[in-house]
Amino acid sequence: MIGAIVSAVVIGAIVGALARLLVPGRQNMSIGLTLIVGIVAALIGTLIAQAFGWADTRGIDWIEHILQLVLAVIGVLLVTRMGMGRGGRGGRTTT
């Protein structure tokens, strides 16, 4: 149980960071929000991969990890477009 939580956090952090690197432009997201998006994407990606039987391969589960990364990119896009990042309404400041 503890191992699953630790691996979800580690994979979530990696997937979230990679997603932010792949999304063009500047994202006004905190590190914590990036971690949450990555963890959620990793968990949902694992569930989908297990449902289709893609998670039980020998070696590295590349399809599962690619699915997690795609979901994280979608999550980063949704969070930044909805304005739930740092700056409030879309991260824009008016001065």
Side-chain angles (χ1 to χ4, degrees), residues 26-60:
R26 184 167 183 242
Q27 300 89 29
N28 284 330
M29 290 177 61
S30 66
I31 294 172
L33 190 56
T34 302
L35 183 65
I36 290 170
V37 168
I39 291 171
V40 169
L43 292 174
I44 293 172
T46 298
L47 290 174
I48 293 171
Q50 286 177 348
F52 285 104
W54 300 332
D56 298 325
T57 61
R58 294 189 317 164
I60 299 174

Side-chain angles (χ1 to χ4, degrees), residues 59-73:
I60 299 174
D61 299 323
W62 289 109
I63 296 174
E64 179 181 2
H65 295 311
I66 290 170
L67 181 61
Q68 292 169 338
L69 182 59
V70 168
L71 290 172
V73 167

Side-chain angles (χ1 to χ4, degrees), residues 2-15 35 38-40 42-43 46:
I2 300 282
I5 293 171
V6 169
S7 68
V9 169
V10 170
I11 290 175
I14 293 169
V15 167
L35 183 65
I39 291 171
V40 169
L43 292 174
T46 298

